[in-house]
Amino acid sequence: MPKLIKNGNIVDNLYTWQQDSESEATDASIVPMSKWLSEQDSIGHVAGIWIDAGEGTDDLANIDLNQFDVIGINFPAFVDGRGFSYARLLRERLSYTGEIRALGNFIPDQLGYLLRVGFNGFQFNDDVNLEKALELHKSFSNAYQGDVNEPRPIFLRR
């Protein structure tokens, strides 16, 4: 079974990231947001949805997102930073409390920043060593700026 990093641990990946909109959705599927929005009445229960770069979160404003176990955010390239904003919007404006999973072409060096904006799941490409990736973020225990987990800057935490 494939693995991923979730909440600081390496765990089994219980869900299937459906990258095409033609596949049949199951209870263990993470389906494209566009597919779920257009077919939600007929699609049945799914584990979650995923947002592609450029789609944004506006279409999710009036939806109970906590019905999903996971919301994935696709990074088409590690230099595409829109996913960072999407995660923060999901946490702070849309009050999503479940797993926000980074998908696609992000790199282990970004893990610390991804955690700070609200990601707690990381489905790396197959060539990434998960043990080494997990070690990268452990060296950063404090940040000067506030984030979604601790909004107060360091000078207010003293």
Side-chain angles (χ1 to χ4, degrees):
M1 177 170 275
K3 303 279 187 187
L4 60 94
I5 295 175
K6 182 177 176 183
N7 297 324
N9 297 299
I10 297 172
V11 299
D12 291 333
N13 183 358
L14 303 176
Y15 305 128
T16 303
W17 177 22
Q18 280 192 339
Q19 296 183 50
D20 65 85
S21 58
E22 302 304 316
S23 298
E24 185 73 27
T26 69
D27 286 351
S29 296
I30 304 172
V31 300
M33 177 181 75
S34 58
K35 176 178 181 163
W36 186 83
L37 287 171
S38 64
E39 301 174 23
Q40 61 185 301
D41 294 332
S42 63
I43 202 169
H45 179 266
V46 294
I49 59 173
W50 64 273
I51 303 168
D52 205 3
E55 287 184 318
T57 60
D58 292 345
D59 292 337
L60 302 174
N62 297 316
I63 295 169
D64 176 18
L65 298 178
N66 288 306
Q67 68 183 295
F68 302 118
D69 295 336
V70 59
I71 296 178
I73 299 176
N74 182 36
F75 288 84
F78 79 92
V79 296
D80 189 331
R82 293 175 283 188
F84 289 87
S85 299
Y86 299 166
R88 191 148 193 169
L89 290 169
L90 286 169
R91 291 282 188 229
E92 293 180 346
R93 288 194 188 161
L94 301 177
S95 303
Y96 180 65
T97 58
E99 178 187 351
I100 298 178
R101 183 180 295 185
L103 303 164
N105 296 304
F106 62 100
I107 58 175
D109 293 0
Q110 296 172 311
L111 193 60
Y113 301 111
L114 291 164
L115 286 162
R116 296 194 62 221
V117 296
F119 285 92
N120 59 337
F122 307 92
Q123 187 172 328
F124 286 97
N125 289 329
D126 293 337
D127 60 340
V128 173
N129 181 315
L130 295 181
E131 288 84 11
K132 288 182 181 177
L134 195 55
E135 287 299 316
L136 280 175
H137 89 86
K138 290 183 180 178
S139 60
F140 298 100
S141 59
N142 286 310
Y144 290 111
Q145 306 88 357
D147 59 32
V148 296
N149 297 313
E150 175 52 78
R152 297 174 302 155
I154 198 165
F155 68 87
L156 291 178
R157 289 182 249 159
R158 294 182 184 187

Short mmCIF file of all heavy atoms in Angstrom, two decimals, residues 20-52:
data_model
loop_
_atom_site.label_atom_id
_atom_site.label_comp_id
_atom_site.label_asym_id
_atom_site.label_seq_id
_atom_site.Cartn_x
_atom_site.Cartn_y
_atom_site.Cartn_z
N ASP A 20 -8.36 11.88 -13.32
CA ASP A 20 -9.20 12.10 -14.49
C ASP A 20 -10.66 12.10 -14.05
O ASP A 20 -11.04 11.45 -13.10
CB ASP A 20 -8.96 11.04 -15.57
CG ASP A 20 -9.38 9.66 -15.11
OD1 ASP A 20 -10.58 9.34 -15.26
OD2 ASP A 20 -8.53 8.90 -14.61
N SER A 21 -11.46 12.85 -14.74
CA SER A 21 -12.86 12.99 -14.35
C SER A 21 -13.75 11.88 -14.89
O SER A 21 -14.93 11.84 -14.62
CB SER A 21 -13.40 14.35 -14.79
OG SER A 21 -13.25 14.49 -16.18
N GLU A 22 -13.17 10.95 -15.63
CA GLU A 22 -13.95 9.86 -16.23
C GLU A 22 -14.06 8.63 -15.32
O GLU A 22 -14.94 7.81 -15.49
CB GLU A 22 -13.35 9.45 -17.57
CG GLU A 22 -13.25 10.59 -18.59
CD GLU A 22 -14.58 11.26 -18.86
OE1 GLU A 22 -15.60 10.56 -19.02
OE2 GLU A 22 -14.61 12.51 -18.90
N SER A 23 -13.14 8.49 -14.37
CA SER A 23 -13.14 7.31 -13.50
C SER A 23 -14.36 7.29 -12.59
O SER A 23 -14.87 8.33 -12.19
CB SER A 23 -11.87 7.28 -12.64
OG SER A 23 -10.74 7.20 -13.45
N GLU A 24 -14.76 6.09 -12.23
CA GLU A 24 -15.89 5.91 -11.31
C GLU A 24 -15.44 6.26 -9.89
O GLU A 24 -14.44 5.76 -9.40
CB GLU A 24 -16.36 4.45 -11.38
CG GLU A 24 -17.59 4.16 -10.57
CD GLU A 24 -18.85 4.75 -11.19
OE1 GLU A 24 -18.89 4.93 -12.41
OE2 GLU A 24 -19.79 5.03 -10.44
N ALA A 25 -16.20 7.11 -9.23
CA ALA A 25 -15.87 7.52 -7.87
C ALA A 25 -16.34 6.47 -6.86
O ALA A 25 -17.39 5.85 -7.03
CB ALA A 25 -16.52 8.86 -7.56
N THR A 26 -15.54 6.29 -5.80
CA THR A 26 -15.89 5.38 -4.71
C THR A 26 -15.76 6.12 -3.38
O THR A 26 -15.35 7.28 -3.35
CB THR A 26 -14.94 4.16 -4.69
OG1 THR A 26 -13.64 4.59 -4.29
CG2 THR A 26 -14.88 3.49 -6.06
N ASP A 27 -16.07 5.42 -2.30
CA ASP A 27 -15.92 6.00 -0.96
C ASP A 27 -14.48 6.36 -0.64
O ASP A 27 -14.22 7.15 0.26
CB ASP A 27 -16.41 5.02 0.11
CG ASP A 27 -17.93 4.91 0.15
OD1 ASP A 27 -18.60 5.72 -0.53
OD2 ASP A 27 -18.43 4.03 0.87
N ALA A 28 -13.54 5.76 -1.34
CA ALA A 28 -12.12 6.01 -1.09
C ALA A 28 -11.50 6.94 -2.14
O ALA A 28 -10.29 7.06 -2.21
CB ALA A 28 -11.36 4.69 -1.06
N SER A 29 -12.32 7.64 -2.91
CA SER A 29 -11.82 8.51 -3.97
C SER A 29 -11.66 9.95 -3.52
O SER A 29 -12.49 10.48 -2.77
CB SER A 29 -12.78 8.51 -5.16
OG SER A 29 -12.87 7.25 -5.75
N ILE A 30 -10.61 10.58 -4.02
CA ILE A 30 -10.46 12.04 -3.95
C ILE A 30 -10.66 12.50 -5.39
O ILE A 30 -9.82 12.27 -6.25
CB ILE A 30 -9.06 12.45 -3.44
CG1 ILE A 30 -8.78 11.81 -2.08
CG2 ILE A 30 -8.97 13.97 -3.36
CD1 ILE A 30 -7.34 12.01 -1.60
N VAL A 31 -11.82 13.09 -5.65
CA VAL A 31 -12.22 13.42 -7.01
C VAL A 31 -11.95 14.89 -7.32
O VAL A 31 -11.86 15.72 -6.41
CB VAL A 31 -13.71 13.10 -7.26
CG1 VAL A 31 -14.00 11.62 -7.05
CG2 VAL A 31 -14.61 13.95 -6.39
N PRO A 32 -11.84 15.24 -8.60
CA PRO A 32 -11.66 16.66 -8.95
C PRO A 32 -12.81 17.50 -8.43
O PRO A 32 -13.98 17.09 -8.49
CB PRO A 32 -11.64 16.65 -10.48
CG PRO A 32 -11.28 15.25 -10.86
CD PRO A 32 -11.85 14.37 -9.79
N MET A 33 -12.50 18.66 -7.91
CA MET A 33 -13.53 19.56 -7.39
C MET A 33 -14.57 19.86 -8.47
O MET A 33 -15.78 19.84 -8.18
CB MET A 33 -12.91 20.87 -6.90
CG MET A 33 -13.92 21.88 -6.41
SD MET A 33 -13.21 23.45 -5.87
CE MET A 33 -12.80 24.22 -7.44
N SER A 34 -14.13 20.09 -9.69
CA SER A 34 -15.06 20.41 -10.77
C SER A 34 -16.04 19.27 -11.03
O SER A 34 -17.23 19.50 -11.28
CB SER A 34 -14.30 20.76 -12.05
OG SER A 34 -13.46 19.69 -12.43
N LYS A 35 -15.56 18.04 -10.94
CA LYS A 35 -16.44 16.87 -11.12
C LYS A 35 -17.45 16.81 -9.98
O LYS A 35 -18.64 16.60 -10.21
CB LYS A 35 -15.62 15.59 -11.18
CG LYS A 35 -16.47 14.34 -11.27
CD LYS A 35 -15.64 13.08 -11.38
CE LYS A 35 -16.53 11.86 -11.48
NZ LYS A 35 -15.83 10.69 -11.97
N TRP A 36 -16.99 16.98 -8.76
CA TRP A 36 -17.89 16.89 -7.62
C TRP A 36 -18.94 17.99 -7.68
O TRP A 36 -20.13 17.74 -7.42
CB TRP A 36 -17.12 16.95 -6.30
CG TRP A 36 -18.01 16.72 -5.14
CD1 TRP A 36 -18.42 15.51 -4.64
CD2 TRP A 36 -18.66 17.72 -4.35
NE1 TRP A 36 -19.28 15.71 -3.58
CE2 TRP A 36 -19.44 17.06 -3.39
CE3 TRP A 36 -18.66 19.10 -4.35
CZ2 TRP A 36 -20.21 17.73 -2.45
CZ3 TRP A 36 -19.42 19.79 -3.41
CH2 TRP A 36 -20.19 19.10 -2.48
N LEU A 37 -18.53 19.20 -8.02
CA LEU A 37 -19.49 20.31 -8.09
C LEU A 37 -20.57 20.07 -9.14
O LEU A 37 -21.74 20.39 -8.91
CB LEU A 37 -18.76 21.63 -8.37
CG LEU A 37 -17.96 22.20 -7.21
CD1 LEU A 37 -17.10 23.37 -7.67
CD2 LEU A 37 -18.87 22.61 -6.05
N SER A 38 -20.19 19.51 -10.28
CA SER A 38 -21.17 19.32 -11.35
C SER A 38 -21.99 18.04 -11.18
O SER A 38 -23.09 17.94 -11.72
CB SER A 38 -20.48 19.31 -12.71
OG SER A 38 -19.61 18.22 -12.82
N GLU A 39 -21.49 17.07 -10.42
CA GLU A 39 -22.18 15.78 -10.30
C GLU A 39 -22.48 15.37 -8.86
O GLU A 39 -22.75 14.21 -8.59
CB GLU A 39 -21.31 14.69 -10.94
CG GLU A 39 -20.99 14.92 -12.39
CD GLU A 39 -20.02 13.89 -12.94
OE1 GLU A 39 -19.92 12.77 -12.38
OE2 GLU A 39 -19.35 14.20 -13.93
N GLN A 40 -22.46 16.30 -7.93
CA GLN A 40 -22.58 15.93 -6.52
C GLN A 40 -23.86 15.19 -6.17
O GLN A 40 -23.87 14.36 -5.26
CB GLN A 40 -22.40 17.15 -5.61
CG GLN A 40 -23.40 18.25 -5.81
CD GLN A 40 -23.06 19.45 -4.97
OE1 GLN A 40 -22.99 19.35 -3.75
NE2 GLN A 40 -22.84 20.59 -5.61
N ASP A 41 -24.93 15.44 -6.89
CA ASP A 41 -26.19 14.73 -6.61
C ASP A 41 -26.15 13.28 -7.05
O ASP A 41 -26.81 12.42 -6.47
CB ASP A 41 -27.37 15.44 -7.28
CG ASP A 41 -27.61 16.82 -6.66
OD1 ASP A 41 -27.28 17.00 -5.46
OD2 ASP A 41 -28.09 17.71 -7.39
N SER A 42 -25.37 12.98 -8.07
CA SER A 42 -25.32 11.62 -8.60
C SER A 42 -24.04 10.86 -8.26
O SER A 42 -23.99 9.65 -8.42
CB SER A 42 -25.49 11.65 -10.12
OG SER A 42 -24.42 12.35 -10.72
N ILE A 43 -23.04 11.55 -7.79
CA ILE A 43 -21.73 10.94 -7.60
C ILE A 43 -21.67 10.04 -6.35
O ILE A 43 -20.86 9.14 -6.26
CB ILE A 43 -20.62 12.01 -7.57
CG1 ILE A 43 -19.27 11.41 -7.91
CG2 ILE A 43 -20.56 12.71 -6.22
CD1 ILE A 43 -18.21 12.45 -8.17
N GLY A 44 -22.49 10.31 -5.39
CA GLY A 44 -22.45 9.52 -4.16
C GLY A 44 -21.37 10.04 -3.22
O GLY A 44 -20.73 11.05 -3.46
N HIS A 45 -21.16 9.30 -2.14
CA HIS A 45 -20.19 9.71 -1.14
C HIS A 45 -18.77 9.46 -1.65
O HIS A 45 -18.48 8.40 -2.20
CB HIS A 45 -20.40 8.95 0.18
CG HIS A 45 -19.41 9.32 1.22
ND1 HIS A 45 -18.25 8.62 1.42
CD2 HIS A 45 -19.39 10.35 2.09
CE1 HIS A 45 -17.56 9.19 2.39
NE2 HIS A 45 -18.24 10.24 2.82
N VAL A 46 -17.91 10.44 -1.45
CA VAL A 46 -16.49 10.31 -1.77
C VAL A 46 -15.69 10.72 -0.54
O VAL A 46 -16.19 11.42 0.34
CB VAL A 46 -16.08 11.18 -2.98
CG1 VAL A 46 -16.75 10.68 -4.26
CG2 VAL A 46 -16.37 12.65 -2.75
N ALA A 47 -14.43 10.27 -0.48
CA ALA A 47 -13.57 10.63 0.65
C ALA A 47 -13.23 12.11 0.63
O ALA A 47 -13.08 12.73 1.68
CB ALA A 47 -12.29 9.80 0.63
N GLY A 48 -13.09 12.67 -0.58
CA GLY A 48 -12.75 14.07 -0.66
C GLY A 48 -12.71 14.58 -2.07
O GLY A 48 -13.03 13.88 -3.03
N ILE A 49 -12.31 15.83 -2.17
CA ILE A 49 -12.16 16.50 -3.45
C ILE A 49 -10.74 17.03 -3.53
O ILE A 49 -10.05 17.14 -2.51
CB ILE A 49 -13.17 17.65 -3.63
CG1 ILE A 49 -13.01 18.70 -2.52
CG2 ILE A 49 -14.59 17.10 -3.68
CD1 ILE A 49 -13.85 19.95 -2.70
N TRP A 50 -10.32 17.37 -4.75
CA TRP A 50 -9.03 18.05 -4.89
C TRP A 50 -9.19 19.25 -5.79
O TRP A 50 -10.00 19.25 -6.71
CB TRP A 50 -7.92 17.11 -5.34
CG TRP A 50 -8.06 16.50 -6.70
CD1 TRP A 50 -8.72 15.34 -7.01
CD2 TRP A 50 -7.51 16.98 -7.93
NE1 TRP A 50 -8.62 15.08 -8.36
CE2 TRP A 50 -7.88 16.06 -8.95
CE3 TRP A 50 -6.75 18.08 -8.29
CZ2 TRP A 50 -7.51 16.23 -10.28
CZ3 TRP A 50 -6.38 18.25 -9.61
CH2 TRP A 50 -6.75 17.33 -10.59
N ILE A 51 -8.44 20.29 -5.46
CA ILE A 51 -8.50 21.56 -6.15
C ILE A 51 -7.27 21.66 -7.04
O ILE A 51 -6.14 21.47 -6.59
CB ILE A 51 -8.52 22.73 -5.15
CG1 ILE A 51 -9.69 22.58 -4.17
CG2 ILE A 51 -8.56 24.07 -5.88
CD1 ILE A 51 -9.63 23.52 -2.98
N ASP A 52 -7.49 22.00 -8.29
CA ASP A 52 -6.39 22.18 -9.22
C ASP A 52 -5.94 23.64 -9.19
O ASP A 52 -6.72 24.53 -8.85
CB ASP A 52 -6.81 21.78 -10.63
CG ASP A 52 -5.64 21.36 -11.50
OD1 ASP A 52 -4.49 21.32 -11.00
OD2 ASP A 52 -5.87 21.08 -12.68
#
